């Protein structure tokens, strides 16, 4: 029954939305270095593991504030701009994919995000997520990389207007200062509703996430 309901919603989005996907790639070196350096202290102080998702959620919250169209919805003949940022996070559950919502992520710390994700992950496995915990998101993040996906075009979660797809981290040759070096790279994809979000806004939004994740100091300094 859950799978049928999800299928109906996704097919409805495909039929209604003018979906377009833009891509970018992220050098994960600095974020991985920060995690390696502080993961033990983070675990000791906050009682939860430091993952990569918190950086992407915080970066998305910042970008959604900067590009409000990505955080908006079309409601009938009106465009509704939301002044809050609630991020739905796709989580694998025994009976299919569920999307619990992190509320007001712009006010959350990295520890708050990681703690919430851990709690929702456990609830998803136990089948104890409530309807309230899965409704009301303004934007979705889906991480196919945990299953080994290298690239993909995620489908928007109605009535939202965009979804970010994360993928696996792979060592690839890149050119830095004229030298070819191996770097841990992640492909990212933003699928958006072109009826509401222009290409410039979508590309700028994804570039903001790339810049924040590649240099996490930007999140601390709000740059």
């Amino acid at each position: 029954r859950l799978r049928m309901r999800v299928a109906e919603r996704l097919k409805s989005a495909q039929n209604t939305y003018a979906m377009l996907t833009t891509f970018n790639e992220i050098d994960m070196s600095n974020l991985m270095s920060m995690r390696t350096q502080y993961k033990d202290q983070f675990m000791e102080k906050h009682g939860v593991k430091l993952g990569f998702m918190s950086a992407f959620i915080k970066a998305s919250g910042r970008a959604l504030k900067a590009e409000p169209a990505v955080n908006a919805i079309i409601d009938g003949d009106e465009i509704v701009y939301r002044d809050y940022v609630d991020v739905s996070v796709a989580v694998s559950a025994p009976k299919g994919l569920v999307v619990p919502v992190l509320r007001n992520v712009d006010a959350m710390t990295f520890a708050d995000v990681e703690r919430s994700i851990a709690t929702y992950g456990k609830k998803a496995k136990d089948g104890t997520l409530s309807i309230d915990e899965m409704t009301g998101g303004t934007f979705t993040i889906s991480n196919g990389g945990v299953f080994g996906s290298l690239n993909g075009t995620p489908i928007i979660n109605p009535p939202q207007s965009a979804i970010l797809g994360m993928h696996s981290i792979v060592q690839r040759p890149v050119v830095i200062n004229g030298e070819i070096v191996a770097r841990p790279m992640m492909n990212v994809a933003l699928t958006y509703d072109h009826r509401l979000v222009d290409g410039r806004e979508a590309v700028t939004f994804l570039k903001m996430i790339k810049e924040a994740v590649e240099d996490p100091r930007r999140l601390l300094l709000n740059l």
Side-chain angles (χ1 to χ4, degrees):
R1 189 174 178 182
L2 172 64
R3 186 167 291 278
M4 285 298 294
R5 180 64 181 141
V6 170
E8 287 171 7
R9 284 170 60 82
L10 294 180
K11 188 58 184 171
S12 173
Q14 206 172 35
N15 292 340
T16 305
Y17 290 21
M19 283 195 280
L20 197 62
T21 306
T22 186
F23 302 91
N24 214 317
E25 60 179 9
I26 295 177
D27 184 344
M28 297 290 288
S29 300
N30 289 332
L31 186 59
M32 292 174 75
S33 175
M34 184 184 80
R35 180 175 181 268
T36 299
Q37 185 175 353
Y38 294 110
K39 64 180 180 181
D40 292 337
Q41 291 172 255
F42 190 89
M43 180 68 179
E44 186 178 336
K45 181 171 183 178
H46 301 293
V48 67
K49 291 181 180 178
L50 175 59
F52 298 134
M53 188 62 87
S54 48
F56 278 90
I57 289 175
K58 290 298 293 178
S60 295
R62 190 180 68 114
L64 288 164
K65 288 283 190 179
E67 295 292 342
V70 184
N71 200 47
I73 59 169
I74 294 175
D75 184 7
D77 295 328
E78 296 183 340
I79 296 174
V80 180
Y81 290 93
R82 275 83 68 93
D83 60 358
Y84 54 93
V85 177
D86 294 348
V87 176
S88 305
V89 179
V91 176
S92 181
K95 293 184 179 180
L97 207 63
V98 292
V99 280
V101 181
L102 277 66
R103 315 279 177 188
N104 299 310
V105 299
D106 47 321
M108 297 176 81
T109 65
F110 273 53
D112 292 333
V113 172
E114 294 293 355
R115 205 175 289 116
S116 296
I117 291 172
T119 299
Y120 283 145
K122 186 177 185 305
K123 283 188 172 185
K125 286 179 182 176
D126 296 341
T128 57
L129 279 170
S130 69
I131 295 297
D132 286 345
E133 289 172 325
M134 294 188 286
T135 55
T138 64
F139 180 74
T140 295
I141 298 178
S142 177
N143 185 5
V146 297
F147 304 110
S149 172
L150 184 62
N151 223 335
T153 53
I155 297 177
I156 294 170
N157 178 23
Q160 298 171 14
S161 297
I163 179 171
L164 175 70
M166 297 167 57
H167 300 93
S168 55
I169 301 169
V170 179
Q171 287 281 338
R172 290 209 299 264
V174 295
V175 179
I176 298 177
N177 298 324
E179 299 289 330
I180 298 176
V181 295
R183 287 293 177 95
M185 305 298 293
M186 177 192 286
N187 292 329
V188 287
L190 180 77
T191 298
Y192 59 99
D193 186 356
H194 208 355
R195 298 176 305 163
L196 177 58
V197 182
D198 291 334
R200 178 194 62 78
E201 294 166 324
V203 171
T204 301
F205 177 88
L206 193 56
K207 188 164 176 276
M208 284 186 71
I209 292 176
K210 169 186 169 71
E211 290 172 348
V213 173
E214 287 190 337
D215 185 359
R217 294 173 298 181
R218 286 177 170 268
L219 296 173
L220 177 65
L221 300 172
N222 196 27
L223 296 175

